[in-house]
Amino acid sequence: MNIFMIISLFGGLALFLFGMDVLGNGLEKFSGGKAEKTLEKLTNNIFKSVLLGALVTAAVQSSSATTVIVVGLVNARILKLRSAIGVIMGANIGTTITGQILRLNELNSSGADLNIFLQFLKPTTLAPLIAIFGIILVFVPKKTKYKNIGYIMLGFGVLFNGMFAMEAAVRPLAEIPAFQNLFVALTNPVLGVAVGAIVTAIIQSSSASIGILQAISATGVVTSAAAFPIIMGQNIGTCITPILASIGASKNAKRTALVHLCFNIIGTIVFLSAVYLLQYLIGFSFWNEPITMGGIANFHTLFNVVITILFIPFAGLLEKLVKFLIRNNGKYDDADEDEDTITLDDRLLVSPSLALTHCEELVSKMGKNVYKNGRDLEILLDNYDPKLAAKIHEREDSLDRLEDKLGNYLVKLTDREVSDEDGRTVTCLLHLISEFERTGDYIIEMLYSVESMHEDGLKFSDKAYKEIKVLLNAINEIITLTYEAYSENDITKAESVEPLEQTIDLMVELLKAKHIMRLKEGKCSVDIGMKFLEILNNAEGISDHCSNIAVYYVGYKAVKNVVNPHEYLRELHKGNSAHYISLFDGYKSKYLEIIQ
């Protein structure tokens, strides 16, 4: 084998792996992460888990990718270990689809006897055709959906061209005695399993290593006796990726990766023993015959389907095994982990849409913390409780951590290849986390004023107290509207925020004027007057940031035309919207007229 054959072989492998990557990414974008989101939600039953694991893996073209996602979900305490076991079993079935696709290459051997229709189905004709249509869809249409379909087709075409290059490079090896003797040596089952595992561990893809084996099988020197152990070893080698992904993760996440390894090792031992026992007892006529691409694909599928069926009743025992191997030492797993940021797992970045789903959930949690702090602040004004004040500070600390963690995580997401829609979501979330955090800061500033009044024994006059209560009622309503608009995906509530924000601005102006009048008349001391003004200014800041959140969210939901915040507010304030005027009049009647 000369240097040029080696270059051709590795060049073909590079094209093959690139095609798999393009195909998987195209399928991921086309599904919009729906497969992974479904995987997260519908895994309460072992049979559902197996089916979903198979479907998701068939879509992303990699059992390693699916298992890494599962490790991330378990680490995030979103998916339970028992549910993860079924998904991993299904992933082993789903990964066999690549080999079944590649077996289409056998059509090339039928030659001139094929009719015109079957000639088009030959991979040497079909793959370039699909690649041509794919590149047209990538460059011509403007819609992202069609571009993603184009990438899927392009990946398919590149995948097969890589296979063709590998086949051409290894075909001359069939005449070399040393190469033939190599595969005679690999009929030793232990050696065959080891070679399959090592090669797959190096390239971190069982689908790719199966493809390489199928390419080599075209030389006619690979027998069933040599191929069977290699195929089973390839299933073990693919476990390296989730094992590496579990480093630094929770114990349950490590157990999830270990489930994958134990499942494949035990399955290989059981299946290999059964195959060699049958060969010894009855003998297989094809045992020492050359194996075809289809034979490799069929055995790969048979092996994974059979061991999955065998293991389904023993999922509980598999769970106990990995818990025995990785013990708790009498403590709850990772009890000291930050509950607020536990879902921000880097392993989920392999599926940007899924990672974004959990970012959205944590942004909603930020909104909920702001909502609870606003509610509890109003309670403290009536009856100061140091424990409740401490709880507000605790939530504020959580807000600060979440803003920092989410910001960094979203920046990591921008380094990934995300769809246009996901890119818009990232931009929106970056705005929202900053606004929610600033809203929380203003609530804390108001809390400082209330705490200072409590420590100094200061109290508002009855008139000032009633005014502040009305203002805080309005503040709590605008916070509630803002939080519910985002968490409930309610655009109507988002559009109701701005008229209330304008009402609060008018209330603050009026209360400041009335307060200055009381100061001039000597009805209010300077000390308590300063606290009154601090609360007014912070209330105005809260309403401003709630308005920003609502406007960003309205703009995000606009989809086709991102709303310019300044233009949107300018149009509203012109008073041309009957809906806006109606809401504005209602809020003025509800709050402003009470304090006049």
Side-chain angles (χ1 to χ4, degrees):
M1 191 173 189
N2 59 42
I3 186 66
F4 301 106
M5 290 171 63
I6 294 173
I7 292 172
S8 296
L9 175 62
F10 281 97
L13 177 61
L15 280 175
F16 182 84
L17 293 174
F18 178 68
M20 281 188 64
D21 185 61
V22 173
L23 178 61
N25 286 338
L27 286 164
E28 160 72 20
K29 289 181 181 179
F30 185 70
S31 72
K34 292 185 179 68
E36 290 89 339
K37 293 174 187 176
T38 304
L39 175 73
E40 172 195 336
K41 295 175 182 176
L42 300 178
T43 50
N44 57 344
N45 174 286
I46 186 69
F47 296 102
K48 285 183 184 177
S49 299
V50 170
L51 178 61
L52 286 167
L55 293 175
V56 170
T57 306
V60 299
Q61 293 284 293
S62 171
S63 60
S64 297
T66 301
T67 311
V68 167
I69 290 171
V70 171
V71 168
L73 291 173
V74 172
N75 190 56
R77 297 181 186 171
I78 296 161
L79 198 63
K80 293 182 179 179
L81 177 61
R82 176 66 68 89
S83 300
I85 292 172
V87 177
I88 289 168
M89 290 179 179
N92 273 25
I93 296 174
T95 196
T96 64
I97 191 68
T98 306
Q100 295 293 348
I101 292 172
L102 292 174
R103 72 176 300 175
L104 293 173
N105 205 33
E106 289 180 333
L107 288 172
N108 286 333
S109 63
S110 301
D113 294 333
L114 292 172
N115 61 36
I116 187 67
F117 176 74
L118 290 180
Q119 286 281 355
F120 273 104
L121 287 180
K122 288 171 58 177
T124 49
T125 307
L126 185 62
L129 273 176
I130 290 177
I132 290 168
F133 284 117
I135 201 69
I136 291 171
L137 288 175
V138 167
F139 285 108
V140 176
K142 293 183 179 179
K143 287 189 176 181
T144 304
K145 178 176 71 173
Y146 296 121
K147 288 183 181 293
N148 290 335
I149 294 173
Y151 281 116
I152 293 170
M153 298 173 76
L154 196 57
F156 184 88
V158 173
L159 181 80
F160 268 100
N161 277 287
M163 173 62 74
F164 301 152
M166 285 194 291
E167 281 184 21
V170 299
R171 193 171 291 120
L173 295 177
E175 308 301 325
I176 301 175
F179 185 73
Q180 297 171 2
N181 293 334
L182 172 65
F183 279 93
V184 171
L186 290 177
T187 55
N188 179 309
V190 176
L191 185 59
V193 169
V195 168
I198 292 169
V199 171
T200 307
I202 292 171
I203 61 178
Q204 295 194 28
S205 172
S206 61
S207 296
S209 60
I210 287 289
I212 293 170
L213 184 61
Q214 286 178 304
I216 295 173
S217 72
T219 62
V221 301
V222 183
T223 64
S224 296
F228 289 176
I230 294 172
I231 293 168
M232 287 183 267
Q234 288 168 331
N235 271 39
I236 295 173
T238 195
C239 298
I240 189 66
T241 308
I243 287 172
L244 293 174
S246 69
I247 294 173
S250 68
K251 285 183 178 178
N252 266 348
K254 288 184 174 73
R255 288 171 183 151
T256 304
L258 188 59
V259 163
H260 195 210
L261 181 62
C262 290
F263 174 66
N264 284 307
I265 288 176
I266 297 171
T268 295
I269 292 171
V270 170
F271 203 85
L272 193 63
S273 300
V275 167
Y276 273 83
L277 180 62
L278 288 173
Q279 165 61 16
Y280 176 76
L281 293 175
I282 62 174
F284 297 117
S285 59
F286 55 80
W287 191 248
N288 292 311
E289 296 296 321
I291 193 169
T292 64
M293 283 187 171
I296 291 171
N298 288 339
F299 182 79
H300 189 215
T301 302
L302 178 69
F303 167 64
N304 284 295
V305 170
V306 169
I307 64 168
T308 297
I309 293 171
L310 288 175
F311 270 81
I312 284 176
F314 302 105
L317 289 176
L318 195 56
E319 182 181 15
K320 288 179 181 178
L321 173 63
V322 295
K323 283 186 175 180
F324 173 77
L325 294 173
I326 301 178
R327 304 182 190 184
N328 282 343
N329 298 321
K331 297 179 181 178
Y332 179 71
D333 284 352
D334 311 298
D336 60 340
E337 292 193 43
D338 184 353
E339 291 290 337
D340 292 328
T341 57
I342 194 71
T343 56
L344 293 177
D345 194 303
D346 284 355
R347 297 162 190 84
L348 299 184
L349 292 172
V350 298
S351 174
S353 295
L354 183 61
L356 270 177
T357 297
H358 297 295
C359 288
E360 289 172 328
E361 289 172 0
L362 287 180
V363 173
S364 182
K365 180 162 187 169
M366 289 183 74
K368 190 173 186 178
N369 281 347
V370 171
Y371 159 74
K372 287 181 176 180
N373 277 0
R375 176 200 63 194
D376 290 348
L377 179 68
E378 189 173 359
I379 295 171
L380 284 177
L381 187 65
D382 292 329
N383 183 23
Y384 184 80
D385 179 355
K387 290 183 179 179
L388 190 58
K391 190 66 180 175
I392 294 175
H393 282 292
E394 185 182 317
R395 292 194 198 106
E396 172 59 22
D397 290 341
S398 173
L399 277 170
D400 290 340
R401 289 197 305 273
L402 280 169
E403 195 236 356
D404 181 54
K405 297 282 186 180
L406 274 166
N408 290 332
Y409 196 75
L410 289 167
V411 168
K412 288 180 185 177
L413 262 176
T414 60
D415 293 334
R416 301 278 170 158
E417 197 172 342
V418 298
S419 65
D420 291 343
E421 182 180 350
D422 285 347
R424 290 181 62 252
T425 303
V426 169
T427 302
C428 178
L429 293 184
L430 284 169
H431 283 301
L432 295 188
I433 60 174
S434 175
E435 297 295 338
F436 273 126
E437 194 274 334
R438 290 295 297 133
T439 306
D441 287 346
Y442 278 111
I443 292 175
I444 286 296
E445 290 298 324
M446 292 175 78
L447 175 61
Y448 289 150
S449 299
V450 174
E451 287 176 328
S452 176
M453 288 171 59
H454 173 73
E455 290 170 3
D456 297 338
L458 299 174
K459 288 187 177 181
F460 290 124
S461 65
D462 290 344
K463 184 70 173 174
Y465 173 78
K466 289 178 182 178
E467 291 171 347
I468 288 293
K469 282 291 289 183
V470 174
L471 179 62
L472 288 181
N473 286 338
I475 288 296
N476 274 327
E477 180 168 357
I478 199 170
I479 291 173
T480 303
L481 276 173
T482 305
Y483 161 60
E484 290 180 350
Y486 178 75
S487 62
E488 298 173 7
N489 193 26
D490 192 330
I491 195 71
T492 303
K493 287 184 177 179
E495 291 172 341
S496 302
V497 169
E498 184 58 26
L500 181 52
E501 190 273 339
Q502 288 295 294
T503 303
I504 291 171
D505 282 352
L506 294 176
M507 290 173 70
V508 169
E509 289 179 16
L510 176 61
L511 291 178
K512 282 182 179 178
K514 294 178 73 172
H515 175 65
I516 292 170
M517 186 63 68
R518 284 196 294 269
L519 283 172
K520 287 181 178 178
E521 294 173 355
K523 295 179 180 179
C524 179
S525 68
V526 173
D527 289 341
I528 195 67
M530 289 298 296
K531 303 304 175 190
F532 189 88
L533 286 175
E534 285 172 3
I535 291 176
L536 292 184
N537 289 332
N538 288 315
E540 187 173 20
I542 289 170
S543 68
D544 287 343
H545 286 287
C546 285
S547 170
N548 291 344
I549 292 168
V551 171
Y552 283 129
Y553 192 63
V554 169
Y556 169 68
K557 299 303 287 186
V559 182
K560 290 183 180 179
N561 300 306
V562 178
V563 173
N564 181 302
H566 301 294
E567 184 66 28
Y568 173 74
L569 293 175
R570 194 180 303 117
E571 287 299 314
L572 282 181
H573 297 164
K574 285 180 181 178
N576 295 328
S577 169
H579 179 63
Y580 174 83
I581 293 171
S582 174
L583 288 171
F584 188 30
D585 289 341
Y587 287 131
K588 285 193 293 184
S589 175
K590 185 176 181 179
Y591 295 114
L592 187 61
E593 292 176 8
I594 294 177
I595 61 173
Q596 284 179 334

